[in-house]
Amino acid sequence: MTDLVAKRYVKALLIDADAKSIAKISKELSLISSAYGENKFNDIITSSEVKNSDKVNFILSLNEKASNTVTNLIKLLGENKRLDIIPSIVEELENQLSIINNDYTGVIYTNKKLKAADIKSIEGQFSKKFEVNLSLKQDVCDYDGIKVDIDGLGVEISFSKDRLRTQMIEHILKAV
């Protein structure tokens, strides 16, 4: 539900805005959004004992140099009692900025560390395939194979040793 509401606010922010101003707004809101990771901050924002105007002033005090757009957005969210959706707004703004700039980030999941040259090669191949600017980060985990996940494009490509083994067994059984 909050994602849908956040998308409406972002849509309003995008009207008559260029990529540079959107990036500035996103950066300012990201600074504010980072406070949402603190329990004390969330307690204040969700408290019914604190007036909405005080919550708005508290949030605005986190970024003294906030632009008029961000200040007005925070005030509007405060009036509508939606200060809790700021992290969702930041996430959606970053997604829209990726689309505008044709810049995407992704994650490579493997069980051992890849060389930087290999990561660059994978980036290059996917950038060429999807005609985007792509940067990949590696997440070393317990995935037995390799999986590339590019969230903004909705792409997930994986190669799993277990799946290959299962498919080979099925193929052999069908042949017999």
Side-chain angles (χ1 to χ4, degrees):
M1 178 70 178
T2 59
D3 290 340
L4 294 174
V5 175
K7 285 182 180 187
R8 289 184 179 210
Y9 282 100
V10 169
K11 186 176 178 182
L13 286 171
L14 293 176
I15 296 173
D16 295 332
D18 61 341
K20 188 176 178 180
S21 62
I22 295 168
K24 183 181 176 194
I25 292 168
S26 178
K27 187 176 179 181
E28 290 177 17
L29 285 174
S30 292
L31 179 68
I32 293 169
S33 177
S34 63
Y36 280 81
E38 298 294 323
N39 289 334
K40 290 181 181 179
F41 179 82
N42 287 325
D43 290 342
I44 293 170
I45 296 303
T46 58
S47 174
S48 60
E49 297 173 6
V50 180
K51 288 192 260 179
N52 276 341
S53 60
D54 292 337
K55 292 177 187 178
V56 167
N57 290 333
F58 177 59
I59 290 175
L60 290 174
S61 71
L62 297 175
N63 186 0
E64 299 280 332
K65 299 176 184 176
S67 65
N68 287 337
T69 305
V70 172
T71 303
N72 291 336
L73 175 66
I74 301 293
K75 288 179 181 178
L76 181 64
L77 290 171
E79 287 174 15
N80 294 323
K81 298 180 181 174
R82 292 187 171 152
L83 292 170
D84 57 326
I85 69 167
I86 291 176
S88 297
I89 290 173
V90 170
E91 184 179 327
E92 183 61 26
L93 260 177
E94 289 172 355
N95 289 341
Q96 292 300 318
L97 199 56
S98 292
I99 293 169
I100 290 169
N101 292 332
N102 206 22
D103 253 348
Y104 296 91
T105 58
V107 181
I108 300 175
Y109 299 97
T110 59
N111 59 357
K112 53 184 159 181
K113 189 162 175 61
L114 295 175
K115 296 177 187 172
D118 292 337
I119 295 173
K120 286 291 182 194
S121 173
I122 294 169
E123 278 179 6
Q125 293 295 325
F126 282 113
S127 293
K128 192 175 1 173
K129 172 75 175 165
F130 297 112
E131 298 176 357
V132 298
N133 298 323
L134 179 66
S135 63
L136 293 172
K137 300 173 193 164
Q138 184 176 8
D139 184 6
V140 179
C141 59
D142 61 351
Y143 187 78
D144 193 22
I146 186 167
K147 179 168 70 170
V148 179
D149 187 14
I150 308 168
D151 230 6
L153 290 175
V155 173
E156 181 180 308
I157 300 169
S158 64
F159 175 80
S160 170
K161 291 179 184 177
D162 291 335
R163 191 174 75 205
L164 177 64
R165 190 176 304 124
T166 304
Q167 288 175 345
M168 286 179 67
I169 291 170
E170 288 175 7
H171 182 70
I172 292 170
L173 291 175
K174 286 179 183 177
V176 174

